């Protein structure tokens, strides 16, 4: 917990661990987003998976297709699970806001639901940094819960959580403003398989670095 007794992203996802994968395994929209991204990747692409969670489905789908994946997650428990589940990917425990990234060093980046515990300024800064880390023409697959919320306390999978996000138009504009052309948008409502879960809106974008 931080000084305000709110869980950090690391402590929240350390506590959730493998339960996250079970709860979200049924997301057809996540799989569809990965398939769309795969269609844009050349063989042996280098992909950065931000907030890589348990490694499934993202890192596993990409490595199964022959791509090289670096997963970054701030939760040591998630990094441990992902390293065991997807041994062909490399996982690092780090905060993406602080991790040095070499310009133009990735062909693609995935950011599936990993911005929600960051401030709006940090979400914007991370997207700008990811734009720089991608080569020109590289792709970004990003998903969020598109709600106009800032620092709202609630529960996620039965645990206290604080969420910050943007409405759909504002989030899409944020991605475009970070130096991307948005190629496709997909909106859906998903109910995680978990006793404490409620239906949540999901927004998936595929974008190309200008
Ligand atoms: C909602 S989970 C999604 C996991 C995975 N992307 C998926 O969709 O299956 C968000 C993940 O992002 C990680 N995360 C949150 N903030 C992060 C940060 N600042 N740096 C790195 N990882 C972060 C969390 O630890 C968690 O594993």
């Amino acid at each position: 917990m931080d000084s305000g007794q709110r869980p950090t992203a690391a402590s929240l996802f350390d506590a959730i661990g493998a339960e996250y994968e079970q709860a979200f395994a049924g997301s057809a929209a996540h799989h569809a987003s990965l398939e769309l991204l795969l269609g844009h990747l050349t063989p042996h692409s280098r992909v950065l998976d931000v907030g890589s969670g348990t490694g499934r489905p993202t890192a596993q789908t990409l490595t199964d297709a022959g791509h090289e994946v670096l997963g970054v997650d701030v939760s040591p428990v998630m990094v441990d699970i992902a390293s065991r589940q997807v041994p062909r990917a490399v996982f690092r425990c780090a905060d993406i806001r602080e991790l040095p990234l070499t310009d133009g060093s990735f062909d693609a980046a995935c950011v599936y639901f990993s911005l929600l515990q960051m401030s709006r300024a940090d979400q914007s800064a991370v997207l700008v940094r990811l734009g720089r880390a991608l080569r020109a023409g590289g792709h970004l697959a990003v998903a969020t819960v598109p709600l106009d919320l800032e620092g709202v306390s609630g529960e996620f999978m039965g645990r206290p959580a604080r969420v910050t996000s943007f409405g759909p138009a504002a989030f899409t504009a944020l991605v475009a403003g970070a130096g991307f052309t948005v190629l496709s948008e997909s909106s859906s409502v998903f109910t995680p398989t978990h006793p404490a879960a409620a239906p949540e809106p999901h927004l998936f974008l595929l974008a190309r670095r200008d």
Side-chain angles (χ1 to χ4, degrees):
M1 296 276 190
D2 67 13
S3 54
Q5 297 304 298
R6 293 184 297 263
T8 61
S11 63
L12 175 63
F13 286 96
D14 275 353
I16 293 174
E19 266 183 65
Y20 184 87
E21 183 181 321
Q22 291 152 16
F24 286 83
S27 171
H30 192 148
H31 289 277
S33 166
L34 284 167
E35 285 306 314
L36 198 59
L37 174 65
L38 286 176
H40 287 271
L41 297 182
T42 52
H44 311 294
S45 286
R46 187 164 152 70
V47 185
L48 176 65
D49 183 14
V50 174
S52 40
T54 69
R56 295 200 298 225
T58 302
Q60 182 165 72
T61 301
L62 291 162
T63 55
D64 284 353
H67 302 297
E68 190 186 325
V69 176
L70 171 63
V72 175
D73 203 293
V74 74
S75 153
V77 169
M78 288 300 203
V79 169
D80 182 56
I81 295 170
S83 302
R84 282 187 280 109
Q85 294 198 139
V86 191
R88 278 182 292 167
V90 173
F91 296 96
R92 283 190 59 180
C93 190
D95 189 322
I96 193 62
R97 294 171 292 189
E98 292 158 8
L99 186 70
L101 298 169
T102 304
D103 285 358
S105 56
F106 291 94
D107 300 299
C110 294
V111 189
Y112 288 114
F113 305 107
S114 36
L115 299 173
L116 293 158
Q117 272 70 51
M118 297 180 200
S119 68
R120 287 184 164 171
D122 282 351
Q123 295 190 34
S124 173
V126 165
L127 290 168
V128 169
R129 292 186 62 234
L130 292 177
R132 292 201 194 106
L134 291 179
R135 63 167 173 79
H139 288 84
L140 172 74
V142 57
T144 196
V145 175
L147 295 173
D148 184 12
L149 303 174
E150 197 164 7
V152 171
S153 297
E155 277 205 353
F156 179 65
M157 293 181 64
R159 277 123 182 142
R162 226 166 115 86
V163 175
T164 295
S165 190
F166 299 85
F171 188 74
T172 304
L174 192 74
V175 171
F180 293 92
T181 297
V182 176
L183 304 176
S184 77
E185 299 181 34
S186 164
S187 298
S188 49
V189 175
F190 180 74
T191 304
T193 309
H194 188 275
E200 48 185 71
H202 285 177
L203 174 67
F204 290 82
L205 303 180
L206 182 70
R208 187 180 55 228
R209 168 144 138 31
D210 297 334

